[in-house]
Amino acid sequence: MRTKIFVILALMSMSFAGVSAKDILSVGNDGFSSEIVVDGGRILPASLSFGGKTVTSAETVPYFEFCVNSCTVTSLSPIWRYVGKDSRTLSNGGVVTTFHFAAKGKFKGLHVLVDRECFPDAAFVRERMRLYSTRPGLRLTNVEGKNHFIFPQYSFSAEKGLSAEQLRIGRFQTKTNLTDNHTFHPDRFPVSVTEHGEDVKGPFVIIRNGDCRILTSYEHASQDNTFMNEKNVKHSGGNDEMQGVEGDQGFITDDDLWFIATRLQRTPDGGLTVSNRIRRGGYCDRESIPQEGYYETVWSTVSLLGREDSLDESLQRYLYDRISDHAASRKPVFYYNTWGMQRDQPKEHLKDCITEERLLKDIEYCKEMGIERFILDDGWQSAMGFWTANRRLYPNGLGPVIKKIQEAGMEPGVWLSLLALAKGSDLYNQHPEWHIGDQHGAPILVQWGNPGMDITGGFYDYLLESLKLLVDQGVRFFKWDAVSTMSSSNPGLGHGDETATVKERIDRYNYIFPFYVTRLARELKEYNPDVVVELDLTEHWRCMIGLMTLQESKFFWINNGASRYGDYTAYRSKSMRLGVNEYAGIFPPEVFTYAVYPMNISNALKYNVHSTLMAGHGFWGNLDKTTPADRQYVADQLRKAKMVLPHVEGMPMAVSGRLCDTPEIYTQADRKDGYALMTAFSSEPWEGSHHIDLDPSKVVGVLDCPFSMDAAGVNVKLRFTVKDDSAAAYVLGGNTAPVRILSSTGSLSDLDLSSQGLSVTAAEDAVLRIEISGQVREICLKAGEKTIIK
């Protein structure tokens, strides 16, 4: 029976004098619950119960704490009245319950909304706070010159073997070796749990506490290292010269971009308190609590895991669909982006080569290959910040190109530099309040020498309307480039007025920057649910690395890594896989995009295509350099991948081996229904097998690799005969018929189960063991031979 989420409000009224009503506000499911109790005007600490055991302690720590008009306000302050609740069910299965509290006394007019989200199949709660005021004069204030805002805070009973570690995700490395290359990397560090407390950045903290593991996170975005430890006048160069941020932003340290901390602290009785707290940028001192709209915190999560629960699976499931109810942003879609082709042209034609004539030809190539999305990169626009067609390249506008893309069965997509606006344009001159200036008043240039705009004011509205017009024309995918750190101190927008210091306004801007980027993606999704946004994270100043933006979008992870444009060898594809390999057990593969070359110029076509099957799903390059055989190979591999991906999408990615190991294997499997996609790579000749755990009774057979079935799943035979070799196995499941293939000594190129029987085509000579209604027999097929088994 499907587990059901419950939300309970228990009202227990005591009739005798002096005892007030108690409200018990509970969320959870059959195996998990979390309660907030309102008693005597106080909001008591939230409890967490898991597997019949309460894991939080009775330690009285406030669930939230902040400062209003220089007075500390906590959940334990005897000022709260429970107003009511509201619930809504999301498309991802989560139920968000909002609990409403109102303050009284000198804080009358202050309202707190606590949003708590739970799911039917997990010991997991996701929560945030929102504040609003019904009267003027209520202001958030600093304590000792710093922001003071704590939410949520839990106290846990300490068990034997208590330990903790933080998991960080945003360290950029500019080296160009394969295993430490030009991309973001994760890090794990142990955390000391003392009575003095330790603040860590996270965003993940993993606590091992007896038989229970506690996983916490918060959803914000900022890089862990800035590469701005000097007064940088220019941050540009590398593979994409002139795409960097230019301007003297002053001395910016890693600490300047650390906004939220998770604090772990021992309690006097030996327990453990865990809290998320704002370090900087959460508000300007004496910032008014809104009377229209809300002041909101980031979302935070707590997951409880038993001894047998997989931490990797919990993390991947959280970032696949619990953080987001935008299913389209997680769907694996094979795409082509024009940028690789543009980089193959002479530099002077980098942006004017994507003419209508050229694109119409490339669309036909992509149709041959089975591509599902076609993306126009930089150059299609009339000017930076003016997201209409360049009439020199598209005399009839984008309409004919979009129509051709749609007729070819693909989704149209476009690139844009989200924050750029052409200097000297009328719009630029009319809105000086949008300009972000450096320390000397000169414009900070965000990309290709174009000024960057402050997204918190009217520029946001201009962007949203411009993008909606593109959606109206049929665009369903956006690649947002150059979403970069730019320290805006502009007063009077969304991050402080003239009464705030310059540093306060800069910190506030950098704190709320991901809120605005995520909101923009959300509003486009609400305008059309098929719209998907991809955020470019390919350079170190691209600051949207974090969890908040994954609520609505996905990551374009890497351009070339340790390689370069025009490298058709396996070396570049190894760089593409680094993120998938390093973030295995953290990010699900569906959040990554990257592109490989679909031409066999360096005899690496098979290797390159296999590198984009399990994640990335992208292709780029000059398609005139592909041959009909190249395009047919890509089409054949994508056809097979599409037979499996819809069934394994969202399943945990299992990775065996580090990048460049022999072997290095990636597997996604639907164990219940018998589907799996496995890709394997080898740096040296090697022969062996890989076992995929799943229900073998549901397996019809396996394409592209020899295999055999056993009681626990499928053994895939691997034979790598040269350096930098690869293989893919497509395990076809969902079998309800009385026929299946138990083993094959050679690779099969096609399987089709229909009312006529099981059609089998051999890619090479093979001996097959077939089970039909419980009876087993052998058949022999020659390479290319096809038979129907009834």
Side-chain angles (χ1 to χ4, degrees), residues 4-16:
K4 295 182 179 179
I5 287 181
F6 62 76
V7 180
I8 299 174
L9 168 60
L11 298 176
M12 298 184 294
S13 299
M14 308 301 291
S15 58
F16 48 90

Side-chain angles (χ1 to χ4, degrees), residues 144-163:
E144 297 180 352
K146 296 181 179 180
N147 284 180
H148 186 82
F149 204 117
I150 302 169
F151 175 81
Q153 183 164 234
Y154 290 95
S155 184
F156 295 96
S157 304
E159 305 288 344
K160 184 178 180 181
L162 175 67
S163 65

Side-chain angles (χ1 to χ4, degrees), residues 5-6 158 257 284 320 491 527 556 692 782:
I5 287 181
F6 62 76
L257 298 181
C284 294
Y320 174 71
Y527 188 67
F556 179 63
I692 304 174
K782 295 291 186 181

